[in-house]
Amino acid sequence: MARMFGTDGVRGVANRDLSCHLAFKLGQAGAYVLSKGKKRPKILIGKDTRLSGDMLEAALVAGICSAGGEALVAGVIPTPGVAYLARYYGVDAGVVISASHNPMEYNGIKFFDGNGYKLPDELEDEIEAIIKGQKQVDIPAPIGGEIGRKVSVPNAVQDYVNFLKSTIDVDLSGLKLALDCANGAAYKVAPMVFSQLGAEVEVINDNPNGVNINCNCGSTHPEGLQRFVVETGADVGLAFDGDADRLIAVDEKGELVDGDQIMVVCALDMKERGVLKRNTVVATVMSNIGFDIALEKAGCGFVKTRVGDRYVLEEMLKNGYNIGGEQSGHIIFLDHSTTGDGILTALQLLSVVKRKNRRLSELASVMQRFPQVLVNAKVSPEKKNSYMDDPIIAEEISRIEAKFKGAGRVLIRPSGTEPLIRVMIEGADQKEIEDSARRLASLIEERLN
């Protein structure tokens, strides 16, 4: 039986894969496992703007209350907001109802512990084993006055905004910012933070209706923001994803500044100020070759992990690093937060722009991006992890890499949340890598369906 928890919680099509029954069970089992023996554990819940969020929130709250827990409901708030507020409010756990950058029909349920960290595999496995009946436990079933209750948290957004503003020591006056809130969880918080810090703010995609989250907007579709930056004459554009844990920036010319470039800009500034711990940045194997070259040239080290922010965080905690992340814009500033935070990342980037009084295009030019192509191959879910067992696929990968003669690479990995295999090819010639990626993706679809 497949593992219920993926790389970022439990995800699936809402009301089909992620049903109300499953949400109830997750609330019940999660409250039991994360209560640490407390009779009435307190669990904070936040969500993004998906239509299915209300439905799943109600089921999750019911599960928590049925086990005697107290469900503190924060409403629509970014994922990293729940991680921060779990610590700030001193609760036993936090839960986010979101499928991040995925299409609106998907949703997810993700747990944080009381310190704001995503759960380790062992705790997720314990919750899953209880739900599947593989571990027999006596989950409390209180009656009368011992049943749990739902409590609204009206100040959650403002408390999170106050925290974000405290993470930088410069004001943003004189900067004109263009924001793309992806019709998601950033739609209230982001404009509040940047305008309260003195920036002039122009906003698009800040009118969520339950079905337009991530729809041709946000960090996965920044084309509209690129045009908007040029049209409005903004200094910087900031695109968030549905739950606002990622940031993709746009410079004043309308050019993209991705997560690799943001990390390089911020890390070099941190090195200059003497706060880059162990003089090292943590990234994943998906990072561009230009990322490696820029850091090496500046005298900084880097460490590469598997794809997934949990693996980046694991490496950071293990070895005492304080900045790490992914090309997708999921960046962790461990001095401030326990997880990726798109708005916090934007603040760190803008503080460099302000301190150095330089255009973002200038700052980002320290890293040259090598052409890189990512193509998704749709495959049968049960075959998603067996691509390297196919000799024809393996042979084609070897053929492509041999052709590059050390000046490029092929990286294949299964999606952690969807029935997809991601084909990434990097090299000097854009057309060559595009053709190679499409051919390889077609071959994978042919062989694994």
Side-chain angles (χ1 to χ4, degrees):
M1 190 181 292
R3 190 172 186 264
M4 182 186 298
F5 284 87
T7 54
D8 210 17
V10 179
R11 283 193 193 172
V13 174
N15 218 24
R16 188 186 72 189
D17 312 314
L18 183 54
S19 65
C20 291
H21 178 71
L22 178 55
F24 177 86
K25 291 290 187 182
L26 284 164
Q28 205 174 45
Y32 175 81
V33 170
L34 298 169
S35 68
K36 305 182 189 71
K38 285 187 182 177
K39 189 174 181 182
R40 191 179 287 278
K42 293 186 176 183
I43 299 178
L44 178 70
I45 302 172
K47 62 184 176 183
D48 67 21
T49 57
R50 291 164 210 269
L51 191 63
S52 58
D54 292 345
M55 172 186 80
L56 294 172
E57 179 187 76
L60 190 67
V61 168
I64 292 168
C65 292
S66 75
E70 188 170 291
L72 281 65
V73 179
V76 173
I77 193 166
T79 288
V82 173
Y84 165 71
L85 293 173
R87 302 191 304 277
Y88 183 68
Y89 293 152
V91 298
D92 298 289
V95 190
V96 178
I97 304 168
S98 173
S100 187
H101 59 285
N102 290 153
M104 65 79 51
E105 62 268 23
Y106 287 82
N107 216 325
I109 292 176
K110 172 168 52 184
F111 290 90
F112 290 95
D113 65 20
N115 294 314
Y117 290 105
K118 292 178 183 178
L119 301 191
D121 289 346
E122 312 86 74
L123 283 182
E124 289 182 342
D125 288 343
E126 186 178 354
I127 292 170
E128 185 169 333
I130 291 170
I131 291 172
K132 291 180 175 177
Q134 297 163 346
K135 178 177 181 177
Q136 300 301 317
V137 297
D138 292 322
I139 295 178
I143 59 173
E146 299 301 310
I147 292 172
R149 69 175 70 238
K150 170 184 170 182
V151 179
S152 293
V153 187
N155 296 324
V157 167
Q158 189 59 59
D159 288 339
Y160 177 48
V161 166
N162 292 342
F163 157 70
L164 288 169
K165 288 160 56 182
S166 75
T167 64
I168 61 172
D169 57 4
V170 297
D171 69 64
L172 302 181
S173 57
L175 284 180
K176 184 173 184 178
L177 306 179
L179 312 183
D180 182 346
C181 295
N183 293 310
Y187 86 101
K188 285 183 181 177
V189 175
M192 287 174 66
V193 169
F194 299 113
S195 59
Q196 287 179 20
L197 283 169
E200 180 184 347
V201 176
E202 301 278 355
V203 191
I204 56 173
N205 301 309
D206 60 336
N207 292 295
N209 61 13
V211 298
N212 60 1
I213 185 172
N214 298 321
C215 185
N216 298 316
C217 60
S219 63
T220 52
H221 298 280
E223 305 84 12
L225 179 63
Q226 289 176 271
R227 292 190 296 270
F228 189 60
V229 166
V230 174
E231 289 167 6
T232 58
D235 297 301
V236 180
L238 305 168
F240 307 102
D241 65 335
D243 69 336
D245 65 355
R246 300 186 187 196
L247 168 74
I248 294 294
V250 176
D251 71 20
E252 75 283 356
K253 300 174 182 177
E255 297 295 323
L256 291 180
V257 179
D258 68 13
D260 285 344
Q261 292 168 293
I262 293 169
M263 281 192 286
V264 169
V265 170
C266 291
L268 297 192
D269 176 71
M270 291 166 70
K271 176 182 171 66
E272 191 177 298
R273 292 186 291 119
V275 296
L276 179 62
K277 291 182 180 174
R278 303 195 64 186
N279 197 38
T280 298
V281 185
V282 182
T284 76
V285 292
M286 287 292 285
S287 282
N288 193 279
I289 292 172
F291 173 86
D292 305 5
I293 294 170
L295 289 176
E296 283 176 347
K297 187 176 178 181
C300 292
F302 57 86
V303 177
K304 297 288 184 77
T305 73
R306 293 166 58 188
V307 173
D309 62 282
R310 66 163 52 207
Y311 305 113
V312 172
L313 177 61
E314 187 178 279
E315 180 67 27
M316 293 173 73
L317 291 171
K318 179 182 174 184
N319 290 302
Y321 306 124
N322 62 343
I323 179 173
E326 300 182 279
Q327 187 185 65
S328 63
H330 194 288
I331 301 172
I332 303 167
F333 289 86
L334 203 51
D335 292 336
H336 301 292
S337 182
T338 55
T339 189
D341 187 325
I343 301 173
L344 189 151
T345 297
L347 290 169
Q348 304 310 304
L349 180 64
L350 293 173
S351 69
V352 181
V353 171
K354 282 288 287 186
R355 271 197 303 271
K356 294 187 176 297
N357 193 28
R358 293 171 65 190
R359 294 287 193 179
L360 180 56
S361 60
E362 278 185 81
L363 294 169
S365 68
V366 72
M367 177 188 144
Q368 177 191 352
R369 280 187 300 188
F370 279 59
Q372 194 178 59
V373 173
L374 181 64
V375 178
N376 290 328
K378 294 182 179 180
V379 298
S380 172
E382 58 271 15
K383 294 182 179 179
K384 187 172 75 170
N385 295 298
S386 61
Y387 56 93
M388 285 309 292
D389 297 333
D390 189 299
I392 293 177
I393 294 174
E395 184 181 338
E396 177 64 10
I397 292 171
S398 297
R399 188 190 69 77
I400 295 170
E401 289 185 326
K403 186 171 62 173
F404 288 144
K405 297 178 181 176
R409 62 180 179 135
V410 179
L411 180 67
I412 312 293
R413 68 176 186 90
S415 166
T417 58
E418 300 173 85
L420 300 173
I421 288 178
R422 306 199 191 281
V423 177
M424 192 278 283
I425 300 186
E426 194 171 62
D429 187 299
Q430 183 74 35
K431 186 176 187 308
E432 182 180 26
I433 64 175
E434 285 176 358
D435 291 345
S436 298
R438 280 195 294 267
R439 283 198 303 271
L440 181 54
S442 295
L443 177 64
I444 290 171
E445 288 183 344
E446 179 186 317
R447 302 289 298 176
L448 300 183
N449 276 306

